Amino acid sequence: MTLDSAPSRWRSLPSSDRLHLRHPLVIAVAALIVSALVGLGLAATAGAGPAEVVTALVDGTLGSPFAIGTSLNSAAVLMLVAVGFTIAYRAGLVNVGGEGQICLGGIAATAVGVSLPDSTPLPLGLTLVLLAAALAGAGWAAIAAWLRVRRGTSEIITTLLLNFVGLALVVLMVQEPSLLRQPMTSSETLPQSEPLSDAARLPLLELDKSPATIAIVIAVVAAIAVGIMLRHTVTGLRLRSVGLSPTASARFGVPVDRASSLSLAAAGGFSGVAGGLLVATAPFVLADGFSSGFGFSGLVVGLLARGSMTAVAAVSLLFGFLVSGGINLQLAAGVPASTITVVQSVLIILIAGAAWWTTTNRPPRKPSSATTTDSAAEEVLV
C-alpha cells in the first residue's frame, strides 16, 4: 500500500472500525497531552527538568499514605462537583458556579455543625450537616435557574458572577463576630469559624497513617446513583431530551422549564455537599479560601468526562492526585503550585475549543423533515 492510497483506504473503513478525530477519547487524550506539555514548559522556566517534575508529582501523590489520603479527599470533592455539572449539562445547561455553591454549602454546614451538641449521634449529625449544605447549594443555583427560565439570562453568566458573591459571603462570615467567627484569642488568630461539633465530623476510613475520610465513599455512591438515574430512568430520558431540543420536548409534554430548573438546582446541591465535606474534614473549620478552587477544577472534570459517570470518577481521581502533587511540586522542585491551575485552565480552553469544532464542522447529513436535534429528542422520548 502506498502512502497516497492510505487516506482513501482510511475513508473506506466503516465508521465503527476507525477512531475519528472528533471522538471524545481522542479529544481528551490530545487535550491532556498538550496541557502536560504546557505544564512541563512552565516548570522548565522555573528551572525544573521533566524528570524532577515527574518525581515531585509522584512523591506528592503516591509517595506516602498521607499523600494518598489527601488526594482521595480532594478527588471526592471534585467528583461531587462534576456529578452535579453532568446533570445540568445533560439538560443543556452549563453550571460554572461550583465555587460559589461550595461556599454556600460550607457556610450552611458550618452554621449547623457548630450548633450541634457533641452528644448528637454521628449519623444524625452528619446527615443534618450535609443536608443543610445541599439545600444551600441548591438554593444558590436556583437563583441562576430562575433568571434563566423567567428572564432568559444565560446561566453561564449568572452562575459565574454568583461565585464572587459566594466567596465574599465566606469572608463576611469569618470576619464578623456576630456571625460565624470564633472569639479572638490573640492578635495572631486567623479569621475562621469555631470548630465543628464532634457529631459533624467525617469519620476516617481507618487506613494506616492516612487522612482519607468516608467522603470518597459518599462521592462514589453519588456518582453511581446519578449514572443509573441518567441512563435508566424516565427522569434521565427527559433531561437528555430537554438538552437535545427543548422545543421537541415541549411538544411531547415534557415540562422543560421545570426540568431545566431542577437540573441546575441539583448541580448546585451536589456542589453544596462538596462544600459541606470540606468543612467536615480536618481542621473542621470554615476559613477564607477554604474552597481552594475546587469548583473550577470540578468544572474541568465535568468537561473532560463529557457526560460519563465512569469518566467522572476516573478524571476526579486523576485531578485529586494532581492537586496534592502540585503542593509537593512547589516544595520539592521549586515550581509554583499555581502551575497546576494553569494546566487546568489550558484544559478548559482546549475542551471548549474542541466542543465548538465538533459542533460547527460536522460532516453533511441527509436532509430530513425535522432538524437533527428535534429528531434525536423525539427518538429519545418515543
Side-chain angles (χ1 to χ4, degrees):
M1 180 183 66
T2 65
L3 292 176
D4 293 338
S5 64
S8 60
R9 290 179 62 86
W10 171 262
R11 287 192 296 268
S12 65
L13 289 174
S15 59
S16 59
D17 294 336
R18 51 181 173 166
L19 197 60
H20 290 287
L21 290 177
R22 306 174 195 278
H23 193 281
L25 179 61
V26 175
I27 293 173
V29 171
L32 287 172
I33 291 175
V34 173
S35 301
L37 292 175
V38 171
L40 290 175
L42 292 174
T45 61
E52 188 178 2
V53 170
V54 172
T55 301
L57 284 175
V58 172
D59 289 343
T61 55
L62 302 172
S64 67
F66 181 86
I68 295 175
T70 303
S71 300
L72 290 176
N73 289 340
S74 298
V77 176
L78 294 174
M79 197 178 304
L80 285 171
V81 176
V83 166
F85 173 87
T86 303
I87 295 175
Y89 188 73
R90 185 63 63 93
L93 303 175
V94 180
N95 177 39
V96 192
E99 193 77 6
Q101 294 148 13
I102 286 176
C103 291
L104 268 293
I107 292 172
T110 303
V112 173
V114 298
S115 304
L116 292 173
D118 291 334
S119 58
T120 305
L122 181 61
L124 176 60
L126 274 180
T127 300
L128 292 175
V129 166
L130 297 183
L131 180 61
L135 292 175
W140 200 244
I143 298 174
W146 184 86
L147 290 171
R148 162 80 184 199
V149 171
R150 299 300 180 187
R151 302 297 180 185
T153 310
S154 170
E155 79 283 354
I156 299 176
I157 296 174
T158 51
T159 53
L160 177 63
L161 294 178
L162 284 171
N163 284 332
F164 301 103
V165 182
L167 291 167
L169 284 174
V170 172
V171 176
L172 176 64
M173 291 293 171
V174 299
Q175 292 281 357
E176 179 56 48
S178 62
L179 296 175
L180 293 177
R181 179 171 179 169
Q182 68 174 354
M184 185 180 296
T185 56
S186 68
S187 59
E188 290 80 19
T189 301
L190 292 175
Q192 62 184 29
S193 70
E194 294 183 13
L196 270 66
S197 166
D198 291 340
R201 301 181 179 185
L202 287 173
L204 299 174
L205 285 178
E206 302 299 336
L207 302 177
D208 184 37
K209 300 179 181 179
S210 172
T213 66
I214 64 169
I216 188 65
V217 178
I218 295 173
V220 170
V221 170
I224 293 173
V226 170
I228 293 173
M229 183 272 292
L230 292 177
R231 282 182 171 270
H232 303 292
T233 68
V234 174
T235 300
L237 290 175
R238 287 179 174 176
L239 288 177
R240 182 183 174 192
S241 171
V242 171
L244 289 171
S245 174
T247 303
S249 301
R251 286 203 301 263
F252 277 85
V254 176
V256 174
D257 289 347
R258 185 172 66 182
S260 299
S261 299
L262 290 178
S263 66
L264 194 55
F270 278 102
S271 294
V273 172
L277 294 181
L278 282 174
V279 297
T281 305
F284 311 109
V285 296
L286 177 71
D288 183 15
F290 85 104
S291 56
S292 302
F294 279 115
F296 297 111
S297 299
L299 167 64
V300 179
V301 173
L303 288 170
L304 281 173
R306 297 174 68 88
S308 168
M309 285 298 113
T310 303
V312 163
V315 179
S316 296
L317 287 172
L318 172 63
F319 272 51
F321 281 93
L322 279 178
V323 169
S324 299
I327 298 174
N328 193 60
L329 191 64
Q330 182 168 353
L331 296 175
V335 178
S338 57
T339 302
I340 299 297
T341 304
V342 175
V343 171
Q344 293 173 352
S345 301
V346 172
L347 274 174
I348 293 178
I349 295 172
L350 292 175
I351 294 299
W356 172 83
W357 177 61
T358 54
T359 54
T360 57
N361 294 276
R362 294 182 182 276
R365 297 186 178 183
K366 295 180 180 180
S368 59
S369 57
T371 63
T372 303
T373 53
D374 283 359
S375 299
E378 291 173 3
E379 289 177 4
V380 168
L381 292 171
V382 172

